[in-house]
């Protein structure tokens, strides 16, 4: 078959696709400067005469799928295939593959880096030093920037999938006391950690970190009531999706300093709107522009996961299985 690849793909990955899947036509969205919209993607599929698609951020809408109802598969190099109309793909019996945990290492490392940076006031200390303010005595900085250690903190996770589990494995030896809320995870699977209710995670922990997908049940799940039970010196972290958090409630506890602060990588509007910038510019917020999963290695990870999945699927001829080698396939059989 011929595969249109619009996701970033390394040379080795493309070579492997050519060997095991079929001829590739490589048109990465990065060369376009943005994701391809539905009309652009339709034209690319038409021009390439592709039988299958591997994408990352492009808009694989109902219109795209209806225009190419005989696609052999759609591969999505993301943790969730949220840019694809799964309903329409299923209606045409087109398997949709994706790459769970491709960015787990990247997000986990940034969590550790940013939490320690926040607790130690590293950014403010750097700005203070560059501004030439170290002229008041040798011990001034020691007194001004005395921070806190991550060791000994109680850390609670809201959502305990691949990323939460990886972070927990990194920080448990600091040591940190780990708890989590996740109705889909069994307590016996993680005997070293404590499974708690959502309210308990917010009330009992020094650091609360959100790792939720966007679903109807998670939208707005992190509410004013949950923020109200947090410790006054607690830290809130969201590297998942902004829509799972009540933004007004978060802004309230940040501006009124009802909690120690927040570390945020995602926002209701990207680029941010005025309300987002109020959060971003707050002194007790460490904000980054949705880069938790932005490493060069992430692209290598998604290539490896996608290729392993496709090769496995093709070699075994499996179409109706829900799981293949611990990778996900979405299809209505």
């Amino acid at each position: 078959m011929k595969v249109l690849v619009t996701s970033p793909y390394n040379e080795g990955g493309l070579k492997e696709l050519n060997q095991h899947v079929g001829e590739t036509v490589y048109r990465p969205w990065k060369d376009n400067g943005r994701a391809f919209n539905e009309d652009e993607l339709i034209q690319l599929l038409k021009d390439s005469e592709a039988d299958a698609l591997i994408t990352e951020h492009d808009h694989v809408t109902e219109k795209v799928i209806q225009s190419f109802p005989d696609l052999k598969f759609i591969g999505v190099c993301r943790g969730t295939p949220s840019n694809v109309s799964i309903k329409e793909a299923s209606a045409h019996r087109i398997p949709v593959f994706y790459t769970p945990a491709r960015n787990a290492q990247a997000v986990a490392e940034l969590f550790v880096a940013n939490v320690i940076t926040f607790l130690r006031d590293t950014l403010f200390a750097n700005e203070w030093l560059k501004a030439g303010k170290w002229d008041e005595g040798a011990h001034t900085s020691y007194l001004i920037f005395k921070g806190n250690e991550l060791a000994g903190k109680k850390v609670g996770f809201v959502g305990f999938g691949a990323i939460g589990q990886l972070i927990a494995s990194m920080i448990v030896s600091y040591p940190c006391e780990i708890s989590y809320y996740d109705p889909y995870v069994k307590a016996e699977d993680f005997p070293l950690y404590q499974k708690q209710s959502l309210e308990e995670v917010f009330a009992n922990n020094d650091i609360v970190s959100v790792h939720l997908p966007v679903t109807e049940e998670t939208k707005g799940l992190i509410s004013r009531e949950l923020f109200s039970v947090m410790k006054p010196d607690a830290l809130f972290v969201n590297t998942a999706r902004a829509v799972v958090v009540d933004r007004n409630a978060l802004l309230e506890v940040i501006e009124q300093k009802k909690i120690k602060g927040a570390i945020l990588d995602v926002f209701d509007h990207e680029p941010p709107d005025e309300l987002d910038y109020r959060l971003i510019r707050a002194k007790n917020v460490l904000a980054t522009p949705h880069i938790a999963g932005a490493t060069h290695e992430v692209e290598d990870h998604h290539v490896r996961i996608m290729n392993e999945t496709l090769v496995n699927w093709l070699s075994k001829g499996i179409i109706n299985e829900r799981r293949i080698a611990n990778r996900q396939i979405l299809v209505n059989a």
Side-chain angles (χ1 to χ4, degrees):
M1 70 182 78
K2 183 181 287 187
V3 185
L4 172 64
V5 181
T6 61
S7 170
Y9 240 71
N10 58 44
E11 186 177 345
L14 290 172
K15 183 177 180 181
E16 188 176 35
L17 282 178
N18 283 318
Q19 290 175 340
H20 299 286
V21 180
E23 178 186 351
T24 57
V25 178
Y26 188 44
R27 300 289 185 271
W29 68 264
K30 284 185 175 182
D31 290 352
N32 190 47
R34 56 170 174 77
F36 293 112
N37 62 40
E38 60 181 9
D39 291 329
E40 292 170 327
L41 194 56
I42 287 171
Q43 190 63 49
L44 281 172
L45 284 164
K46 181 179 179 181
D47 292 344
S48 64
E49 299 181 340
D51 304 300
L53 172 67
I54 296 178
T55 179
E56 184 180 27
H57 296 300
D58 309 308
H59 308 294
V60 190
T61 62
E62 291 182 3
K63 181 179 177 181
V64 173
I65 296 172
Q66 288 169 1
S67 299
F68 298 90
D70 297 322
L71 287 173
K72 299 295 190 297
F73 67 83
I74 299 171
V76 186
C77 294
R78 301 182 66 175
T80 59
S82 55
N83 57 316
V84 176
S85 174
I86 298 299
K87 181 179 179 181
E88 194 65 26
S90 297
H92 294 282
R93 299 176 64 82
I94 302 172
V96 177
F97 302 95
Y98 60 105
T99 56
R102 68 164 186 156
N103 63 359
Q105 185 71 27
V107 176
E109 288 186 11
L110 194 69
F111 170 92
V112 175
N114 280 355
V115 167
I116 293 175
T117 295
F118 187 99
L119 293 176
R120 297 297 301 273
D121 285 333
T122 306
L123 293 179
F124 297 117
N126 179 260
E127 292 171 3
W128 181 87
L129 185 59
K130 287 184 175 181
K133 294 183 178 181
W134 198 358
D135 58 1
E136 303 171 8
H139 298 294
T140 305
S141 58
Y142 183 85
L143 297 173
I144 294 175
F145 299 110
K146 186 175 287 187
N148 297 103
E149 298 174 1
L150 176 56
K153 298 296 184 290
K154 294 182 178 180
V155 183
F157 296 91
V158 182
F160 203 55
I163 294 173
Q165 292 168 26
L166 183 56
I167 296 173
S169 71
M170 288 179 172
I171 65 175
V172 70
S173 59
Y174 267 68
C176 289
E177 185 177 320
I178 307 297
S179 61
Y180 66 91
Y181 164 77
D182 194 318
Y184 303 102
V185 173
K186 297 178 181 179
E188 55 266 30
D189 291 338
F190 298 98
L192 294 179
Y193 312 143
Q194 184 178 3
K195 186 171 184 176
Q196 296 183 335
S197 70
L198 186 56
E199 292 75 15
E200 287 172 331
V201 166
F202 274 81
N204 298 339
N205 288 285
D206 305 305
I207 301 169
V208 176
S209 188
V210 175
H211 302 279
L212 294 173
V214 177
T215 66
E216 288 304 314
E217 63 181 339
T218 63
K219 290 179 182 178
L221 180 66
I222 312 305
S223 64
R224 177 171 277 101
E225 290 72 24
L226 291 173
F227 284 122
S228 71
V229 301
M230 291 183 74
K231 299 177 180 180
D233 59 349
L235 178 61
F236 177 76
V237 183
N238 187 7
T239 56
R241 290 291 184 269
V243 72
V244 303
V245 178
D246 181 334
R247 179 173 61 160
N248 290 318
L250 175 58
L251 185 63
E252 180 181 306
V253 296
I254 288 297
E255 292 189 335
Q256 296 180 15
K257 297 184 178 179
K258 293 182 178 180
I259 62 174
K260 186 179 184 70
I263 296 173
L264 305 174
D265 186 56
V266 289
F267 305 94
D268 276 39
H269 300 86
E270 297 180 1
D273 65 4
E274 183 178 347
L275 204 59
D276 288 324
Y277 272 120
R278 279 175 61 183
L279 271 172
I280 291 166
R281 291 170 176 150
K283 290 185 177 181
N284 54 341
V285 169
L286 193 166
T288 48
H290 204 149
I291 60 170
T295 68
H296 295 290
E297 290 82 1
V298 164
E299 293 181 4
D300 294 332
H301 299 330
H302 75 218
V303 167
R304 174 182 53 80
I305 295 169
M306 182 59 67
N307 283 8
E308 286 178 359
T309 302
L310 291 174
V311 171
N312 196 356
W313 174 62
L314 289 169
S315 65
K316 294 184 178 180
I318 298 174
I319 296 179
N320 297 326
E321 290 291 336
R322 293 275 175 185
R323 286 183 180 270
I324 300 177
N326 204 30
R327 309 303 179 199
Q328 298 296 320
I329 172 175
L330 301 177
V331 60
N332 243 349

